[in-house]
Amino acid sequence: MNQNLAFADYAVFIIYFIVVSAYGYSVYRKRKQDEHDAKAYFLAEGNLTWWAIGASLIASNISAEQFIGMSGEGFFLGIAVAAYEWLAAVALIIVAVWFIPVYLKNKIYTMPQFLKTRYNESTALIMAVFWLFLYVFVNLTSILYLGAVAINGLAGGQYLHVIMIGLAVFALFISLGGMKVVAYTDVIQVAVLIIGGLVTSYIALTTVGQYFGVGQNAIEGFKVLMREAPEHFKMIIPKPTANSSQLEIDKYLTFPGLMSYLAGIWIINLNYWGCNQYITQRALGADLQTARTGILFAGMLKLLMPLIVMLPGIAAYVLYQNGHLPQLVGGKDGAYSAVLTFLPTGLKGLSVAALTAAIVASLAGKVNSISTIYTLDVHKKYIQKEAGEKQQVNIGRIAVFAAMLLAVLFTWNDLLGIGGVGGFTYIQKYTGFISPGVFAMFFLGMFWKRTTGTAAIVGVILGFALSVLFNEYAPMLFGNETLLYTAYPNGKGAFEIPFHICMGLSFFFTMLAMIGISFAGPKVNPKAFEIDSEMFKVKPQTTVLIVITLLVIVALYVKFW
């Protein structure tokens, strides 16, 4: 197998690049008269359609983190990792019905603005700084690293830094046009990544069928996967026993069975989709019904994602175990790139375009959110209070350049050690250090009028501190008997709590602390949002979308439980 791309592959990729760039420029030209309007730049002038919102949400979410990282976890864990995607669809329903009405009624532009409006400026500033660091040093760096490694492997393995810079420049080109350009180019990006992803999954399954003598039939190939790797088709990872292997322990530490469903995975999803800058920027680009429909559309698309980003990893596992794949470059995160080598000329270029679309769309969405938070919640408030519309747009563009430059610098030689952890786990684990406190602060702030600003500040700091404590100092807190054993590279024994459970513990104690502190305050905080039942009523067509999504999820869990 030759991993290098042929001329036809480069041609397909160049066509994709030209189409996306030309369309993005045309969208930019149409709104050029509003070029210096800050609301137009950051929030797309408030007129996004439902399909643009849904596609943009998926395009910004599905990136190298999923294509490379989740395929890697599919290789390692199997279908259990699909829970992140399928339960995300449930989280999106919750966000569409209950969270978005609160944001829209109070005209929230950014997450720090929510915190200032509901609590105080100190809380908003603390979280603005938290988010900026998280988005740059966890999200941008991991996406850039994983994407560059994957494409570099296909291009011959000698162009890592060139590809890294190319991805960064492409994302900058799109993001400098503002939110509307990002959102509408995302429609093309998500179409490319879904088509290319489905093609890759189809080829992976037919390749498995070919090697195992059942013909080039995708359905038969899927049956081979279930036969050859039955442990990879169980949604629940069993808890290890004293006789378990290190591999079984490592799997449980990554996804701790039923405890994942009682703790971390809900916090991850509800915090990501409900308390995240990417969501509010797109949802504020429409009225309530359009925003809801767009978010539910994204939820339905999430049901497809395991087929696109997880299934190739399981196929790679079966091929690898039976000697049909070479040594994976980059460990489990090399699974997706290894599968792409089976694609014929031309289709390989389409799949690289799909991967690039996912990477670039996500990078563009995240740097746009970074520039929005920095410009509106830090620079305008604390550095240049008199900045006009034109200055704000220019500051936002400078922030985009600065964020991307930092990401490139820290990704250049993998200074953060992303490759050693596994891309998907790296993002989930380190995002999880702030997720419990942030979600507790947002949840109580929205739906409990008694929550105070003091409780919010304590909550976000305590949530972070407890996450570090549970992750790093478990034996000191609980003793060795209640925890799992895992061997570290230095050969010494250590005890470790799965990070999902750490998040659940942190969230529980943070909620208790915030509730206790708030009881010392007034029964109704003067800054509490007005909530009424009319805000949460849904139209019949919305109910139909919700019911269809839930029925599909139930059917999937019944099949693979």
Side-chain angles (χ1 to χ4, degrees), residues 51-82:
W51 46 269
I53 292 171
S56 188
L57 287 175
I58 294 300
S60 289
N61 168 243
I62 302 299
S63 183
E65 170 189 350
Q66 273 77 19
F67 269 99
I68 306 304
M70 188 168 279
S71 277
E73 294 303 337
F75 181 93
F76 178 59
L77 286 177
I79 201 172
V81 74

Side-chain angles (χ1 to χ4, degrees), residues 83-99 261 265-266 269-270 273 295-296 298-300 302-303 546 549-554 557:
Y84 282 103
E85 302 298 297
W86 292 338
L87 294 185
V90 180
L92 282 163
I93 291 172
I94 295 170
V95 170
V97 175
W98 285 287
F99 285 29
Y261 294 88
I265 201 164
W266 287 109
N269 273 309
L270 288 171
W273 295 105
I295 292 171
L296 293 174
M300 297 183 82
K302 289 294 281 183
L303 300 179
I546 291 171
T549 302
L550 292 176
L551 286 175
V552 172
I553 293 170
V554 169
Y557 268 87

Side-chain angles (χ1 to χ4, degrees), residues 16 62-64 67-68 146-147 150-151 154 167 192-193 196-197 336-337 340 350-360:
Y16 148 75
I62 302 299
S63 183
F67 269 99
I68 306 304
L146 289 172
I151 297 174
L154 289 167
L167 290 172
V192 172
L193 73 87
Y336 194 80
S337 296
L340 290 185
L350 177 63
S351 292
V352 173
L355 180 58
T356 305
I359 297 162
V360 169

